Amino acid sequence: MEECYKEDLAELFCYFYENNTGVVSQLRREWKGEKMWHIEMKKAIFEKIWLERFTNPNLINTVDGDMLEKFTLLLEAKKLRDLSFLKNQNIFGRVTSKLTGKKGRKQAKVAIWDKVGRIILFDQISKAIVEKQYGEGSKYGNEDNGQIAAKIAFDFLSSSEISKLAFHIQVPIIMALLRSDNQIHRKAVVAYMNSDNLKKYKGVYPMLFKDLISDLNI
């Protein structure tokens, strides 16, 4: 059953990046144990994906019936809601000895695509499904899913793992934190967006950054 969820989550992850051959190839390589998520996507390709996936108000209408049913079932999968793999589960940024393994607890290793796939599922896909059912801007039933996405995203940020990833992989992580109701999440991601780590991307994607920060009035 776990492998079935993994395969469906991998399908969602690739779908969200429009089954880009580079993304599919990198996912396959990580599935085999390699880490390849530092390879950047071409600007024109990612800008198209940004418009058609990340900022498309009619996103859910682009998903066919079978895929939508599969994604909806993923949202209900208890296995994907298990966050015991996180290095830092405390939303206030404090890592406890119980969670860091100092008392002999071995943490599960979860692939980068798996973690980012969960963020996309519980943030982007969940939001799109809720808005389709209850209207644009509605959060009905989506708060818990948003918190799951934000916790996984914050783990990327607090461990500095995010800075090692290609920009197109960083974006859903950043978006989940910007949407979080937790002010510590939001302040942390704003600080990251103003850091040297993203300086080189601001000149390449000026409109994208404008879209990202429009709700924060940074």
Side-chain angles (χ1 to χ4, degrees):
M1 186 64 72
E2 179 183 351
E3 285 302 317
C4 179
Y5 286 140
K6 275 193 171 184
E7 289 177 3
D8 288 348
L9 187 64
E11 186 176 1
L12 179 148
F13 180 86
C14 292
Y15 164 83
F16 207 78
Y17 286 101
E18 298 191 335
N19 293 308
N20 174 264
T21 54
V23 169
V24 174
S25 175
Q26 289 181 70
L27 185 149
R28 286 173 176 167
R29 295 180 72 169
E30 192 185 16
W31 198 302
K32 295 177 182 178
E34 300 178 46
K35 290 188 177 180
M36 293 295 298
W37 295 110
H38 60 281
I39 301 174
E40 298 288 351
M41 183 180 287
K42 290 183 178 179
K43 178 188 176 186
I45 295 174
F46 184 52
E47 284 183 334
K48 180 175 180 289
I49 291 173
W50 169 256
L51 293 173
E52 296 183 3
R53 291 288 191 261
F54 289 92
T55 59
N56 184 357
N58 298 311
L59 169 66
I60 212 64
N61 294 327
T62 68
V63 184
D64 67 47
D66 290 341
M67 291 278 277
L68 180 58
E69 182 179 358
K70 189 177 293 186
F71 294 168
T72 303
L73 288 174
L74 280 175
L75 283 169
E76 299 171 358
K78 291 182 179 179
K79 186 68 178 178
L80 296 179
R81 293 174 177 274
D82 178 6
L83 303 183
S84 59
F85 62 88
L86 297 183
K87 300 181 182 72
N88 182 0
Q89 293 183 35
N90 191 310
I91 62 172
F92 298 106
R94 294 188 293 272
V95 182
T96 66
S97 59
K98 181 179 180 182
L99 297 177
T100 55
K102 291 181 180 178
K103 293 184 178 179
R105 177 179 176 180
K106 186 177 181 180
Q107 288 179 294
K109 289 185 178 180
V110 177
I112 289 170
W113 72 262
D114 188 324
K115 291 188 285 187
V116 177
R118 295 186 202 208
I119 291 172
I120 292 171
L121 173 68
F122 290 115
D123 181 32
Q124 299 279 343
I125 298 298
S126 176
K127 178 176 179 290
I129 290 175
V130 167
E131 290 190 344
K132 181 177 176 63
Q133 293 177 332
Y134 300 102
E136 187 175 349
S138 175
K139 289 186 176 181
Y140 181 80
N142 192 45
E143 291 87 345
D144 290 344
N145 290 341
Q147 288 178 19
I148 291 173
K151 286 180 179 180
I152 301 172
F154 188 65
D155 194 61
F156 271 110
L157 193 63
S158 61
S159 67
S160 300
E161 188 176 18
I162 188 173
S163 62
K164 301 173 185 177
L165 305 175
F167 184 61
H168 63 280
I169 301 297
Q170 293 191 43
V171 167
I173 300 172
I174 292 170
M175 291 183 75
L177 290 169
L178 289 173
R179 288 175 175 166
S180 174
D181 292 331
N182 186 289
Q183 290 301 313
I184 291 175
H185 287 171
R186 291 161 68 91
K187 287 180 181 179
V189 74
V190 168
Y192 178 70
M193 290 176 69
N194 288 323
S195 70
D196 290 340
N197 289 313
L198 292 186
K199 187 179 292 184
K200 64 180 179 181
Y201 299 114
K202 288 184 177 180
V204 179
Y205 298 103
M207 292 306 297
L208 186 152
F209 273 89
K210 184 178 179 180
D211 287 343
L212 282 175
I213 66 177
S214 60
D215 293 333
L216 291 177
N217 297 316
I218 299 174

